[in-house]
Amino acid sequence: PTVLLALGIQEIHADQEMMGKISAAGQLMQCSASLDVLFLLDGSYSIGKGSFERSKHFAGKLCDALDIHPDRVRVGMIQFSSTPHLEFPLDSYLTKEEVKERIKRIVFRGGSTDTGRALKYILRKGFPGGRNLSVPAVLIIISDGKSQGSTTMPAMQVKERHITVFAVGIKFPRWEELHMLASEPTEQHVLFAGDADDAANGLYSTLTGSACSATAPGCKVESHPCERRTLETVKELAGNYVCWKGSKQPNAVQASLCPFYRWKRVLIKHPSRCFRTVCSDPCDSQPCQNGGTCVPEGLDKYHCLCPVGYGGDIRCAPKLSLECGVDLLFLMDSSAGVTLEGFLRYKAFLKRFLQAVMGQDSPMNVGVAQYDNNVKIPIEVSQHKDAFSLMKSIDALNFSGGGTLTGRALKYIAQHGFRSTPVFADMQDDLPRVVVLLTDSKSQDPVAEAAKYARDRDLFLIGVGSSFMRAELTKVTGNPKQTIVYSDPQDLFNRIPELQRRICSVDNIEGCQAQSLDLAFAVDASSGVGLENFLRLRSFVRSSCLHFSINRDVTQIALVIYGSKAHTVFALDTHTSNSAVLQAINQVPFLGDSASAGSALLHIYGDVMTVQKGARPGVNKVVVMLTNGNGMEDAAVPAQQLRDNGISVFVVVIGDAQADVLLRVAGSPNYLVHISSYEDLQYYQDLIIERICEEAKSPVNLCKPNPCMNQGVCILGPGSYRCECRGWEGPHCESRVLRGDFPRSLVFPLHSHVQRSSSGLQHFSRAFQHTKR
């Protein structure tokens, strides 16, 4: 069984398929019973601001599963620390959106943790704004359980009043106290807020058996083994040391052995069970063919992870087209350095690649050469027109095992590798000529001059080899983007899609020059990165900007640097040309304090990706965070907030860092790029730009992020949107209504975006015609 790990504090032991069904069930949750739900939110210093924000995120996530309405579920909230403070009573807000928006605005108060005093407040005043005793009352305590006073008696009295109590741990909880606070059976009423989706599911699952209606068709409540942990400080004997004590004799001391203790932080395990709602998903029918792996997306959609060579449709049909016409020659290392095993691996790789891309009407011509001290071309380019005869010829290739003269092989191929057959008497075949070098052995002769000789004769060189060959392969190709490295023998076969893209990039324009995009770089400028590495990050941002056409109508770029606080170096609408952006990047200072990635992402959400700072409605938005992995603990919730508002977040981390923390910030492995050293950063630029460009082409929701200011509501229409303003007016609710005028809303067509003129007023431009719906 696989394990779902949540912040290192709770593990749920279930297979991956089951975890997918638990996740999908969240979309069906909707408790519509008459219910009074009161949150008791720990805002003490032991929780800290980061964990307090996670507590708020969990409360908001739970509201998604509650049908909030004056006649159904009502929600209120109390924040407690030294004293309880009523944030809002149960009868204040009438809709789910209003409650969630109010929760977001709650401010961390700080103080000691007096849970007992908060419970006595509820015993004395009841549920503020609640209904009579006929409506079930649910109290949800979110705390680390480290109360300064006794909670035993008030907790018992609360439960005696028939209030259902959930105890939800946050940070490193003291689980014994949470069990004492919670209703029976405690396994169903104690949860962990670090994984908000899972905790919301668990709470809903428990309510299903009492207050809420039965689960949806195809769903059921199941239990799984859990293991929760508490971080405790324990005293342990470190050893005995010589010490001196007083003696009965005058002017004398007595030598003795004294014990020496030290304090140590340890994780104490608490085995338990977790109850979760599980729903069937579209993968139960096993729709993927040819060994594809089904991955559910919600309740009725799925996608297939297809083996290399498949993916012609959603169900992994064979994909048999390279989709570009080239003369393609594989140059295989057959020297002693690559060994017989390596040579056979290259043959298998070659066969699998050609099976994946070579169809009956394939526009490419393929040949194979092999080399050691000498070069031979056993399979000429264009010799075989069908895959079957080509495979037989590849099978017949034999290992030779001489010296590794890669430079000589490249020069020979440049002269003799492509002998085009005349198409007509006076006309030659003019397909691009591509050479793929497969080697795992350092050359015994110089390669740079021979490779330049080949490139000067219009050969497009691609190098494929293990990671320690990267520098030499880059000398051969002349471009790091045409160098493909693999980490282990099996990883070689995972490079087939990348090789497909590189071959077909022979005539492609780099970057996404014509694609509209609002792009923000967030660069870690903390002491953990250091000045030298910060300059490397700055250089990487500078060279990345060369891949984009920077102006008001295509790509806008913003730059944020951060340490303990975030600073906008320039906003999206500051610079309107590549040269201006490059000049501004050269002036970026190093900060050198501690790092807070969460603060940087919150800053980008509230102060960069906004209409007033130049963000354009109807344009895809991407944030690229460059970091060494420090200060990421509080970044998961702000990153999810950005994603929820239609802003993609890529995390590029350099060096060793906690994979689980990074993955929560990135949200998916597809948005996480892990690089071993700053020196290797340049080799990943092509991959990162490619992923950014893919995001730039995805469909756009005109109301995400919300283009309306001052709490205006964005209303989506067919190919347009409008802002409903309350007490404000203007296209984006930017002007206050002064004389009791009625708020106005204005409709924006899909292909319009907002700019600010020199006078500060806003006007429309239709220059942005290529935004995708």
Side-chain angles (χ1 to χ4, degrees):
T2 56
V3 175
L4 173 73
L5 183 64
L7 294 178
I9 307 302
Q10 172 174 280
E11 292 180 354
I12 303 174
H13 297 261
D15 59 44
Q16 198 61 46
E17 180 183 359
M18 189 63 69
M19 295 316 304
K21 291 181 178 181
I22 289 174
S23 177
Q27 299 178 41
L28 283 179
M29 293 177 186
Q30 198 61 230
C31 183
S32 297
S34 291
L35 201 65
D36 283 349
V37 177
L38 180 64
F39 286 97
L40 196 57
L41 202 64
D42 188 343
S44 64
Y45 289 129
S46 67
I47 285 286
K49 194 172 187 310
S51 293
F52 183 75
E53 291 298 319
R54 276 197 288 274
S55 300
K56 286 165 54 180
H57 177 64
F58 163 69
K61 180 66 69 174
L62 183 59
C63 287
D64 289 332
L66 302 174
D67 185 10
I68 298 174
H69 185 275
D71 299 328
R72 294 187 285 276
V73 181
R74 294 187 184 181
V75 173
M77 183 168 286
I78 294 173
Q79 182 183 170
F80 74 95
S81 50
S82 307
T83 58
H85 172 77
L86 179 62
E87 296 289 351
F88 58 92
L90 285 99
D91 55 359
S92 284
Y93 299 103
L94 309 179
T95 67
K96 183 181 304 186
E97 290 70 26
E98 288 176 344
V99 171
K100 289 178 68 175
E101 188 59 40
R102 178 64 181 85
I103 290 173
K104 287 179 184 177
R105 298 202 305 270
I106 291 175
V107 178
F108 176 67
R109 301 177 72 84
S112 59
T113 313
D114 198 337
T115 312
R117 186 171 183 177
L119 293 173
K120 289 172 185 175
Y121 176 91
I122 292 169
L123 287 169
R124 188 172 67 255
K125 297 200 172 186
F127 274 30
R131 289 164 282 187
N132 57 36
L133 296 176
S134 64
V135 177
V138 176
L139 178 65
I140 302 173
I141 306 171
I142 309 176
S143 171
D144 60 3
K146 299 173 183 176
S147 179
Q148 264 76 50
S150 174
T151 58
T152 307
M153 185 58 69
M156 185 177 68
Q157 291 171 336
V158 166
K159 286 179 278 190
E160 285 175 351
R161 293 195 182 181
H162 303 292
I163 297 172
T164 303
V165 182
F166 287 90
V168 184
I170 191 71
K171 205 171 182 180
F172 288 94
R174 189 159 288 158
W175 293 104
E176 299 94 332
E177 184 168 326
L178 294 177
H179 276 79
M180 187 269 300
L181 292 171
S183 296
E184 295 288 341
T186 54
E187 289 84 359
Q188 297 183 36
H189 291 84
V190 174
L191 303 162
F192 179 59
D195 190 319
D197 290 309
D198 173 70
N201 185 316
L203 195 145
Y204 175 85
S205 301
T206 302
L207 287 177
T208 298
S210 55
C212 299
S213 57
T215 56
C219 300
K220 57 185 177 181
V221 177
E222 294 189 358
S223 69
H224 305 282
C226 293
E227 188 176 90
R228 296 179 174 130
R229 302 175 183 179
T230 303
L231 190 65
E232 295 285 0
T233 304
V234 297
K235 183 179 179 182
E236 66 174 19
L237 180 66
N240 293 306
Y241 294 85
V242 175
C243 59
W244 285 264
K245 298 180 178 179
S247 172
K248 292 181 179 179
Q249 300 176 2
N251 301 322
V253 293
Q254 178 182 349
S256 178
L257 287 177
C258 298
F260 175 73
Y261 296 94
R262 64 184 172 198
W263 296 95
K264 182 180 178 182
R265 305 188 81 188
V266 296
L267 282 170
I268 299 173
K269 299 178 180 180
H270 301 265
S272 184
R273 294 199 73 80
C274 290
F275 291 80
R276 302 296 181 261
T277 297
V278 176
C279 298
S280 58
D281 61 53
C283 287
D284 289 344
S285 60
Q286 298 180 334
C288 302
Q289 304 165 356
N290 299 307
T293 303
C294 182
V295 180
E297 295 177 346
L299 301 170
D300 55 358
K301 294 180 181 178
Y302 67 91
H303 70 269
C304 295
L305 298 176
C306 303
V308 173
Y310 297 92
D313 67 2
I314 190 175
R315 297 188 177 183
C316 299
K319 185 177 182 181
L320 298 171
S321 175
L322 194 63
E323 299 173 354
C324 61
V326 292
D327 282 344
L328 178 61
L329 180 66
F330 287 91
L331 180 57
M332 293 173 58
D333 187 346
S334 182
S335 68
V338 81
T339 72
L340 173 60
E341 181 186 0
F343 180 75
L344 294 176
R345 188 183 307 119
Y346 284 144
K347 281 175 61 173
F349 171 79
L350 191 52
K351 287 174 65 177
R352 194 180 298 184
F353 174 80
L354 294 171
Q355 285 169 341
V357 303
M358 192 172 182
Q360 187 174 0
D361 300 319
S362 177
M364 69 174 177
N365 304 307
V366 179
V368 180
Q370 61 183 96
Y371 74 95
D372 46 24
N373 296 314
N374 300 300
V375 189
K376 56 184 179 180
I377 307 178
I379 305 173
E380 296 275 357
V381 175
S382 301
Q383 181 178 331
H384 297 284
K385 288 297 182 185
D386 66 284
F388 180 74
S389 60
L390 182 57
M391 296 302 155
K392 286 184 66 177
S393 297
I394 292 172
D395 282 333
L397 298 177
N398 293 314
F399 178 63
S400 51
T404 312
L405 299 183
T406 308
R408 179 177 178 179
L410 288 167
K411 193 165 186 178
Y412 181 90
I413 289 302
Q415 295 169 343
H416 308 289
F418 298 88
R419 296 175 180 173
S420 296
T421 305
V423 179
F424 298 106
D426 60 345
M427 191 173 162
Q428 296 288 322
D429 180 3
D430 61 352
L431 289 176
R433 295 174 172 182
V434 179
V435 176
V436 178
L437 173 64
L438 294 166
T439 180
D440 200 19
S441 177
K442 292 286 181 74
S443 179
Q444 294 166 348
D445 67 341
V447 296
E449 188 177 338
K452 185 177 184 303
Y453 177 85
R455 295 196 302 271
D456 288 346
R457 278 148 187 79
D458 292 327
L459 296 189
F460 186 75
L461 302 182
I462 298 172
V464 180
S466 56
S467 52
F468 83 96
M469 289 291 297
R470 187 194 295 274
E472 183 171 302
L473 289 174
T474 303
K475 280 185 186 177
V476 170
T477 62
N479 187 341
K481 293 193 282 188
Q482 289 155 231
T483 300
I484 300 172
V485 297
Y486 54 90
S487 55
D488 56 65
Q490 185 53 45
D491 188 44
L492 168 64
F493 295 92
N494 298 332
R495 303 293 138 198
I496 287 178
E498 186 178 353
L499 180 56
Q500 284 177 290
R501 291 195 298 272
R502 293 291 164 263
I503 291 171
C504 285
S505 70
V506 60
D507 284 330
N508 286 356
I509 299 172
E510 295 179 355
C512 35
Q513 298 284 351
Q515 192 62 46
S516 52
L517 180 68
D518 284 348
L519 173 62
F521 287 96
V523 181
D524 188 342
S526 67
S527 57
V529 170
L531 176 59
E532 183 180 353
N533 291 328
F534 172 75
L535 295 177
R536 287 193 176 102
L537 294 179
R538 194 175 76 175
S539 175
F540 175 83
V541 173
R542 193 179 190 281
S543 61
S544 296
C545 291
L546 295 172
H547 291 262
F548 300 94
S549 178
I550 300 172
N551 59 62
R552 287 279 186 266
D553 298 319
V554 186
T555 300
Q556 292 189 146
I557 291 182
L559 177 58
V560 171
I561 58 172
Y562 71 92
S564 58
K565 294 182 179 179
H567 306 272
T568 301
V569 179
F570 51 84
L572 288 166
D573 60 353
T574 303
H575 299 300
T576 57
S577 68
N578 287 67
S579 58
V581 166
L582 298 179
Q583 188 173 355
I585 292 171
N586 287 337
Q587 311 302 317
V588 177
F590 176 61
L591 300 177
D593 55 356
S594 60
S596 173
S599 298
L601 293 177
L602 283 171
H603 176 80
I604 289 172
Y605 176 77
D607 204 49
V608 175
M609 288 294 185
T610 61
V611 170
Q612 47 270 59
K613 293 300 171 73
R616 298 165 294 176
V619 177
N620 277 303
K621 291 167 176 56
V622 174
V623 175
V624 178
M625 173 165 275
L626 297 162
T627 174
N628 68 346
N630 289 337
M632 302 293 284
E633 296 79 12
D634 295 337
V637 172
Q640 187 59 48
Q641 188 176 21
L642 286 164
R643 284 191 292 272
D644 290 344
N645 283 275
I647 303 168
S648 302
V649 180
F650 287 94
V651 179
V652 181
V653 63
I654 303 98
D656 296 328
Q658 281 187 291
D660 57 334
V661 174
L662 296 170
L663 194 55
R664 281 195 302 278
V665 178
S668 161
N670 295 333
Y671 294 87
L672 177 62
V673 180
H674 206 146
I675 304 172
S676 57
S677 68
Y678 288 88
E679 291 77 8
D680 288 344
L681 183 59
Q682 58 178 319
Y683 303 122
Y684 287 81
Q685 186 173 60
D686 183 49
L687 171 68
I688 294 164
I689 297 296
E690 198 171 280
R691 289 291 291 113
I692 293 171
C693 294
E694 286 175 13
E695 289 299 309
K697 296 170 186 173
S698 60
V700 181
N701 183 332
L702 294 171
C703 284
K704 285 190 174 183
N706 185 4
C708 311
M709 292 183 267
N710 300 307
Q711 299 181 6
V713 179
C714 180
I715 308 296
L716 200 60
S720 64
Y721 72 92
R722 62 187 173 86
C723 288
E724 279 195 356
C725 310
R726 300 172 184 175
W728 298 78
E729 63 179 358
H732 292 104
C733 309
E734 68 276 10
S735 304
R736 186 181 289 279
V737 177
L738 297 177
R739 293 180 299 277
D741 300 337
F742 286 105
R744 297 181 299 200
S745 59
L746 217 133
V747 178
F748 294 94
L750 173 64
H751 299 299
S752 296
H753 67 276
V754 178
Q755 295 180 332
R756 291 188 289 183
S757 66
S758 57
S759 64
L761 299 175
Q762 299 185 337
H763 64 277
F764 302 108
S765 166
R766 293 188 59 84
F768 188 58
Q769 293 294 334
H770 46 267
T771 304
K772 293 190 69 174
R773 291 177 187 270

